[in-house]
Amino acid sequence: MTMFVGTAPLGCAAQMMRMASQAQAIILLRSLGMIGLLPAERSEACTMVLEKVNAFGESWCTTVMTATAGRPADEVFAAALGPYQRATSENFERLTQPVERDLT
């Protein structure tokens, strides 16, 4: 019996690759902000931890609900990945926006 049908694994793999590349950029931007080379909110470290906790909770709930509904493995995996992918995309968008600086 095949666990995955059609091109679903490719979609999940592409999502994971995008998430991984965005995560690398996020880590770089946050690190530069924490050492003072880029402007950053003082609460960024706290935000970083809380978003992971929230994504884990949402992922757990959607995964359990999808699995107990008897959905195929690719849908369960996509449900588990979704909250992390959304958080990563939102962080990437937020952290790559230009910041206006007061040069006076």
Side-chain angles (χ1 to χ4, degrees):
M1 181 173 156
T2 304
M3 293 290 288
F4 295 100
V5 179
T7 59
L10 296 177
C12 287
Q15 230 183 339
M16 289 186 343
M17 288 173 30
R18 179 178 177 205
M19 193 170 68
S21 65
Q22 287 177 335
Q24 289 299 310
I26 291 166
I27 291 166
L28 173 65
L29 293 168
R30 282 184 164 159
S31 297
L32 292 173
M34 287 180 190
I35 61 173
L37 295 177
L38 287 178
E41 296 289 328
R42 291 173 99 20
S43 63
E44 190 64 32
C46 185
T47 300
M48 186 171 52
V49 173
L50 290 176
E51 72 196 11
K52 288 170 181 54
V53 172
N54 292 336
F56 176 79
E58 186 181 344
S59 177
W60 176 258
C61 289
T62 58
T63 302
V64 169
M65 289 178 4
T66 306
T68 57
R71 305 306 305 161
D74 59 327
E75 289 184 31
V76 175
F77 185 75
L81 189 61
Y84 293 109
Q85 194 272 327
R86 275 191 300 282
T88 304
S89 290
E90 289 169 4
N91 281 333
F92 184 78
E93 289 297 320
R94 180 175 56 85
L95 293 171
T96 56
Q97 294 299 314
V99 176
E100 291 195 27
R101 297 182 191 195
D102 183 15
L103 299 175
T104 58

